[in-house]
Amino acid sequence: GTEPPPSYDSLFGKIKEARTEHGNSFGFFKALLAILGAAIGGIVCVACVAALMAFPIAQLVIGLQNQDQCTINNKIPLFLIVSGACGCAAAVLQIMDQMCCSDTDSSGERRSKCPCLGFILHLLNLFCFAWFICGNVWVYKIHKTVDYDDPASEEFCGKLVYLFAFWSITAVYVALGATCVIGCGCVCLMACLG
């Protein structure tokens, strides 16, 4: 059955205990994240992954619907198709790993009951990274020369397919930059507190 969420007192008590145990250190921050993660539960994580699947599904659909809409480089719709398929596969495998193959040992560490699934995920992520680099080359290389208006032109690429590929790649760099800024901010905050 389902357990009720932890009460405010027990959640607050766990945070207070972690603060007493770790003080104002990185260990406290890590313990806080673990406490909040446990309180929120796996269902929210699955919902977030499902919401994040909307992006790879959009890549897949736009790539498939516009396969012949990019004469300047026919690999751009293929980039979207493969990126979308890899993103969906990675999300499904991650959900399977979290829901079916995860176990927590006596020390509280997460252990996988399906190590081969983790290996497949690592291989898929490695392929996705290499494919992302290829997409960077294909998309950014023609940025200044692409023609959206004349389908007969050799430099033609449909506006939707090209801009979606362009912003798919650019969004990764924006998210990476934001993650670095937030991470540095957290490190500075922890340094100031402890």
Side-chain angles (χ1 to χ4, degrees), residues 109-125:
E109 292 291 319
R110 182 179 147 335
R111 300 187 141 226
S112 179
K113 292 190 266 181
C114 310
C116 95
L117 184 62
F119 179 72
I120 292 169
L121 261 168
H122 288 310
L123 283 179
L124 183 62
N125 287 333

Side-chain angles (χ1 to χ4, degrees), residues 80-104:
L80 288 174
I81 293 167
V82 174
S83 294
C86 284
C88 289
V92 168
L93 290 173
Q94 190 67 44
I95 290 170
M96 286 173 53
D97 185 49
Q98 291 293 322
M99 301 299 280
C100 306
C101 298
S102 290
D103 198 10
T104 306

Side-chain angles (χ1 to χ4, degrees), residues 12-170:
F12 181 73
K14 287 179 183 179
I15 293 171
K16 191 174 179 180
E17 181 182 324
R19 174 115 185 189
T20 303
E21 183 178 329
H22 296 286
N24 290 330
S25 68
F26 184 72
F28 167 69
F29 186 68
K30 185 177 174 184
L32 176 66
L33 289 178
I35 291 166
L36 293 176
I40 291 170
I43 293 172
V44 172
C45 292
V46 170
C48 288
V49 170
L52 289 175
M53 280 184 68
F55 185 69
I57 289 170
Q59 285 181 309
L60 191 58
V61 169
I62 290 171
L64 285 169
Q65 288 181 341
N66 296 283
Q67 286 183 47
D68 57 347
Q69 293 294 312
C70 202
T71 53
I72 191 169
N73 189 341
N74 61 358
K75 292 181 182 98
I76 292 174
L78 181 64
F79 166 72
L80 288 174
I81 293 167
V82 174
S83 294
C86 284
C88 289
V92 168
L93 290 173
Q94 190 67 44
I95 290 170
M96 286 173 53
D97 185 49
Q98 291 293 322
M99 301 299 280
C100 306
C101 298
S102 290
D103 198 10
T104 306
D105 64 13
S106 59
S107 66
E109 292 291 319
R110 182 179 147 335
R111 300 187 141 226
S112 179
K113 292 190 266 181
C114 310
C116 95
L117 184 62
F119 179 72
I120 292 169
L121 261 168
H122 288 310
L123 283 179
L124 183 62
N125 287 333
L126 186 62
F127 173 79
C128 288
F129 178 72
W131 191 252
F132 177 75
I133 299 299
C134 292
N136 277 262
V137 172
W138 298 329
V139 171
Y140 288 143
K141 183 178 181 181
I142 63 169
H143 179 64
K144 299 287 185 195
T145 60
V146 68
D147 176 11
Y148 303 127
D149 301 319
D150 183 12
S153 168
E154 287 186 16
E155 273 116 30
F156 174 75
C157 193
K159 191 172 188 174
L160 175 66
V161 69
Y162 181 78
L163 289 178
F164 196 79
F166 179 86
W167 286 108
S168 292
I169 293 168
T170 305

